[in-house]
Amino acid sequence: MGRRNNTNVPDFILTGLSDSEEVRIALFMLFLLIYLITMLGNLGMILVIHLDLQLHTPMYFFLTHLSFIDLSYSTVITPKTLANLLTSNSISFMGCFAQMFFFVFLGAAECFLLSSVAYDRYVAICSPLHYPVIMSKSLCLALLTGPYVIGFMDSFVNVIWMSRLHFCDSNVVHHFFCDTSPILALSCTDTYDIEIMICILAGSTLMVSLITMSASYVCILSTILKINSTSGKQKAFSTCTSHLLGVTIFYGTMIFTYLKPRKSYSLGRDQVASVFYTIVIPMLNPLIYSLRNKEVKNAVIRVMQRRQDSGN
């Protein structure tokens, strides 16, 4: 069969998560509920941090953008997934690659933003007296801009290489969104070089950000162990538990999904992991950082009290 250029592919068909109408309706209701909670949780975090002056610190500056990324990350995937559960499963060629671009961009940016949060916690615990000087406005902007720039470059290179693929026999994507592995599986050309490039990009993004965070937390743990009082140790460690929990969940599913060869791709297993990190984790992050954080709880109370006072 002659090779057909990829630009002639009018659209892709996403197989989704199930062929059963009952299951699709149930998943629609579940994902809709999760998306609404994600919207409310992340927008709520952004609003509370904006309204409460006591949260205008570097840590919450980064958490504001983490909520923004989670909100955007979920919006890139979930609305289209909801639409596909009820109507047509098609997505245009350009729409597919646009979804892939923003998915990779936001995912990579979140990896390095989590590293920025870890560094902020390292400075706060290991050098508390110098914290205001070290975490200056210019450094905070650099630690914020870096993740976005790296994420953009990572995504740009990824999509440029993926756009060189040719699709000859099928346009059916065995997934519920346009991810790299199922798109690669459709190609009728040799994808070895592209797979190596994607593996290097994904691996370097995950490993560099993970090593950075690990180094920060090794120093944090060393400092905490030197604290004499038990209450002091608990107070110091409590400032990191929310971030550690969020990092563990996020990196666990990402490493499981992406740091492996294409031959080990499993539709069912990988789709479950993909649902978790694309739809569920953006909902969990604001809950983790709010329910386990006394400062956020107190800020919510202060904001509500001010609104009541202004209303009276």
Side-chain angles (χ1 to χ4, degrees):
M1 180 178 291
R3 180 178 296 179
R4 185 175 69 175
N5 188 276
N6 57 357
T7 55
N8 292 327
V9 177
D11 54 32
F12 291 105
I13 304 298
L14 300 169
T15 59
L17 295 165
S18 176
D19 294 328
S20 169
E21 184 176 353
E22 291 79 9
V23 173
R24 290 164 70 93
I25 292 175
L27 288 174
F28 174 85
M29 298 301 294
L30 175 62
F31 290 169
L32 178 60
L33 177 62
I34 291 174
Y35 185 59
L36 291 175
I37 295 173
T38 300
M39 293 283 288
L40 290 173
N42 285 290
L43 286 174
M45 279 288 290
I46 294 171
L47 186 61
V48 168
I49 292 171
H50 175 72
L51 293 176
D52 192 86
L53 294 178
Q54 293 187 34
L55 297 185
H56 289 188
T57 63
M59 175 183 174
Y60 292 102
F61 171 72
F62 295 131
L63 290 184
T64 297
H65 285 272
L66 182 62
S67 289
F68 169 75
I69 288 177
D70 281 333
L71 186 63
S72 304
Y73 194 67
S74 180
T75 301
V76 168
I77 305 296
T78 309
K80 183 61 179 175
T81 302
L82 290 171
N84 288 344
L85 286 170
L86 295 184
T87 58
S88 171
N89 287 356
S90 65
I91 182 171
S92 68
F93 178 85
M94 291 301 296
C96 183
F97 276 79
Q99 186 182 59
M100 189 188 305
F101 173 85
F102 285 106
F103 168 71
V104 175
F105 165 48
L106 294 167
E110 180 159 353
C111 285
F112 286 100
L113 186 58
L114 289 170
S115 296
S116 297
V117 176
Y119 178 76
D120 172 79
R121 293 298 83 205
Y122 156 73
V123 176
I125 293 174
C126 299
S127 303
L129 297 179
H130 299 95
Y131 179 78
V133 177
I134 296 174
M135 296 304 295
S136 62
K137 185 176 181 180
S138 59
L139 179 59
C140 289
L141 288 174
L143 290 173
L144 174 67
T145 305
Y148 283 113
V149 171
I150 294 172
F152 177 84
M153 295 302 297
D154 192 346
S155 182
F156 181 77
V157 173
N158 181 84
V159 171
I160 289 296
W161 276 76
M162 291 290 291
S163 66
R164 297 167 61 184
L165 294 173
H166 296 270
F167 307 98
C168 305
D169 300 322
S170 175
N171 65 341
V172 178
V173 180
H174 294 285
H175 211 359
F176 65 93
F177 72 99
C178 290
D179 200 359
T180 53
S181 294
I183 296 296
L184 281 170
L186 288 182
S187 178
C188 57
T189 54
D190 183 15
T191 61
Y192 179 78
D193 291 341
I194 298 178
E195 287 184 60
I196 293 297
M197 183 278 303
I198 291 174
C199 185
I200 291 173
L201 284 177
S204 59
T205 296
L206 289 171
M207 289 299 103
V208 170
S209 58
L210 192 57
I211 289 171
T212 303
M213 278 187 289
S214 298
S216 296
Y217 276 105
V218 166
C219 295
I220 288 171
L221 182 60
S222 176
T223 301
I224 291 175
L225 292 176
K226 294 176 183 177
I227 299 175
N228 294 324
S229 67
T230 303
S231 60
K233 290 181 179 179
Q234 291 177 344
K235 183 178 180 181
F237 193 72
S238 65
T239 64
C240 306
T241 53
S242 297
H243 183 246
L244 274 174
L245 181 59
V247 165
T248 301
I249 295 173
F250 181 76
Y251 275 84
T253 52
M254 293 288 277
I255 290 173
F256 171 81
T257 304
Y258 290 106
L259 293 191
K260 60 184 181 181
R262 172 184 161 185
K263 292 181 179 178
S264 64
Y265 174 75
S266 170
L267 178 61
R269 185 178 65 245
D270 283 32
Q271 280 195 338
V272 171
S274 298
V275 167
F276 201 74
Y277 68 75
T278 58
I279 297 177
V280 178
I281 287 180
M283 174 193 70
L284 292 178
N285 275 341
L287 297 178
I288 290 171
Y289 286 106
S290 60
L291 295 178
R292 297 182 58 87
N293 191 314
K294 290 183 180 179
E295 289 183 344
V296 174
K297 291 179 184 178
N298 293 335
V300 172
I301 293 172
R302 288 193 295 269
V303 170
M304 293 179 66
Q305 287 178 341
R306 284 200 298 268
R307 289 186 62 85
Q308 288 178 353
D309 294 339
S310 62
N312 295 333

